Amino acid sequence: MAAKRLYFHLKMEETVERCRADCQWQRLLHVVGQISARAFSPEHKRAKGSPKADDYANLLIAEALLELCLQENLAKLKDSIPLMEKNEPKISDAKKYLTGILTRGKLEPKDMTEAMLILAKLHYIEGSYRDAISLYAKAGLEDILVEKKPLYMLRLLTEAFVIKGLALERSPNSVASRTRLSEREEEVMACFERACVISQIFLQELEKGFSNTHSRGIKGAHAPLSDFELPYFLEAALQSAYIAHLKRGNIVKGIRNLRDLLRTAETKTTQSFRMTAAKQLAELLLHSLSEDCYWSPLSDPLPEFMNKEENSYICSTLRRKLQLHAGDNIYSPQDNVEEALLLLLISESMANQDAVISRAPDQKDDRAVSLRDASAVYDLLSITLGRRGQYVMLSECLERAMKLAFGEFHLWYQLALSMAACGKVRLKAQTNKQTNKTSPFFSL
């Protein structure tokens, strides 16, 4: 009987960790319900109540309720609109559970730390930035080691660092000292850089765990990666560092950060993000970096640029945990146009692979997003290839875009222009007919 109870306990513990890592919040609530039902069944009923077990169950319920509330209010979250406790029952319940846990203090230290990290996140989405920062300090966030942490804890740490950085940015400054403001700026960047690296470690480990369980045919293991949707704060963690650098005018640092992101071995969950990152890096290389200032991805910038940039705040030992693309024969671009073209061709391949071409009404919004992303890539390809006079290659690229271009004048017009430029007169005439159909006011 004791062995059976131990097996059930270990199995449930593993399932709970998996649900928290994979962000399966409804399933987590179901598992917690199973554990509670078994604990209070006649054959397993405890002689005395266990406050520790109850508080741990409450911790899991609070996290699940908070995350489900965030999923329901994603638009507000993206627009930085605070979610108020009085309007959101899930937040109200989660807050009661978490404050009760911290008041009683019955849990193990690591579980108490998790409760503080989750409550700090709740404070942030309520708009209580100072409370969030204070709670992270109380939890000792800066001193928590990443090594040998379970997957769900890597996710919690990623979110904690990016939220702390955002909270520091958004909380009002009460000190006018230039030195203090500079220190705060450095603290924000340190949080963003750590969040960026830990998020990549988490996603690589998540995919590795999925591959291992899938190859061994283990049932009920991680949810398929195709079902894993990158949560808002994980995506924010991936892009927070380079966006912050670019906002502060640190172009070189922003380019280096984007390159580091793209050199990291990709995961299926970040394919859409990587397409966006590659497009943004191409824009920077074309619009903000001259050929005289260019440095290759495998070398360092010119010393005069390095002196103007801030130091890197990220611990190098943490970065070494990442799996990077490496080898003896890695292709290295020779100038900014060449690198931009490489990035855009990769982005084009990804855009076409994930393109939504269905005309079904329920696919309308997805198709609009797909078309918008692809159009942005083809616009940049037109600029890049046009600068090199590569109109044949441009027309071939735009021909591949035609599966997305039903009724889209912009792409048809670009294709007609590229064909005219490279001398494909007959094809240009056929394309011009379609251009006139989409917009009869324009003709070539």
Side-chain angles (χ1 to χ4, degrees), residues 46-50:
R46 296 165 289 191
K48 291 183 181 179
S50 172

Side-chain angles (χ1 to χ4, degrees), residues 148-309:
K148 297 180 181 178
K149 287 287 186 292
L151 269 177
Y152 76 86
M153 193 61 188
L154 291 180
R155 179 186 57 77
L156 278 177
L157 287 174
T158 296
E159 294 178 341
F161 278 113
V162 75
I163 289 171
K164 183 183 175 183
L166 292 169
L168 284 167
E169 274 194 327
R170 293 174 185 179
S171 58
N173 281 320
S174 57
V175 184
S177 163
R178 185 174 293 180
T179 304
R180 181 68 190 95
L181 290 174
S182 176
E183 287 174 357
R184 172 178 273 204
E185 198 81 1
E186 289 184 10
E187 190 178 1
V188 168
M189 288 311 308
C191 286
F192 286 159
E193 290 198 355
R194 289 189 77 175
C196 181
V197 176
I198 298 171
S199 65
Q200 293 174 82
I201 295 172
F202 164 73
L203 290 168
Q204 286 185 349
E205 291 298 318
L206 183 69
E207 181 153 298
K208 196 187 298 180
F210 170 78
S211 299
N212 290 341
T213 53
H214 183 71
S215 63
R216 286 182 291 170
I218 298 174
K219 281 192 171 184
H222 293 276
L225 277 184
S226 56
D227 295 342
F228 182 83
E229 219 171 297
L230 205 59
Y232 171 78
F233 286 113
L234 269 180
E235 188 169 351
L238 288 169
Q239 59 191 2
S240 57
Y242 75 77
I243 287 177
H245 283 306
L246 295 176
K247 278 183 180 177
R248 290 160 175 75
N250 299 329
I251 302 297
V252 173
K253 187 65 182 171
I255 289 174
R256 293 184 77 182
N257 195 276
L258 273 165
R259 282 173 167 175
D260 287 343
L261 270 171
L262 293 169
R263 277 194 66 199
T264 306
E266 66 272 12
T267 61
K268 290 179 182 177
T269 52
T270 57
Q271 282 183 349
S272 176
F273 166 77
R274 291 174 78 86
M275 184 181 76
T276 303
K279 180 168 65 69
Q280 288 175 323
L281 178 53
E283 286 176 340
L284 276 173
L285 292 167
L286 292 172
H287 299 154
S288 304
L289 198 69
S290 69
E291 292 191 22
D292 294 334
C293 301
Y294 179 79
W295 76 99
S296 81
L298 301 179
S299 63
D300 291 324
L302 297 172
E304 53 265 36
F305 294 125
M306 289 294 289
N307 294 337
K308 294 177 184 177
E309 295 292 327

Side-chain angles (χ1 to χ4, degrees), residues 118-133:
I118 296 166
L119 184 57
K121 182 177 180 178
L122 190 151
H123 284 318
Y124 173 81
I125 65 171
E126 284 185 315
S128 304
Y129 304 131
R130 287 185 183 279
D131 290 340
I133 295 166

Side-chain angles (χ1 to χ4, degrees), residues 103-157:
T103 301
R104 288 185 291 275
K106 300 288 185 183
L107 291 178
E108 300 289 336
K110 75 174 189 66
D111 297 327
M112 292 292 287
T113 300
E114 289 175 21
M116 283 188 271
L117 295 181
I118 296 166
L119 184 57
K121 182 177 180 178
L122 190 151
H123 284 318
Y124 173 81
I125 65 171
E126 284 185 315
S128 304
Y129 304 131
R130 287 185 183 279
D131 290 340
I133 295 166
S134 174
L135 208 47
Y136 283 134
K138 189 177 178 182
L141 176 61
E142 302 294 334
D143 301 322
I144 299 175
L145 299 176
V146 174
E147 288 78 8
K148 297 180 181 178
K149 287 287 186 292
L151 269 177
Y152 76 86
M153 193 61 188
L154 291 180
R155 179 186 57 77
L156 278 177
L157 287 174

Side-chain angles (χ1 to χ4, degrees), residues 5 9 32-58:
R5 277 201 300 269
H9 173 75
V32 173
Q34 277 186 309
I35 295 170
S36 300
R38 183 182 174 92
F40 287 99
S41 64
E43 66 236 58
H44 298 99
K45 192 162 185 176
R46 296 165 289 191
K48 291 183 181 179
S50 172
K52 187 183 286 188
D54 292 341
D55 275 358
Y56 185 68
N58 289 343

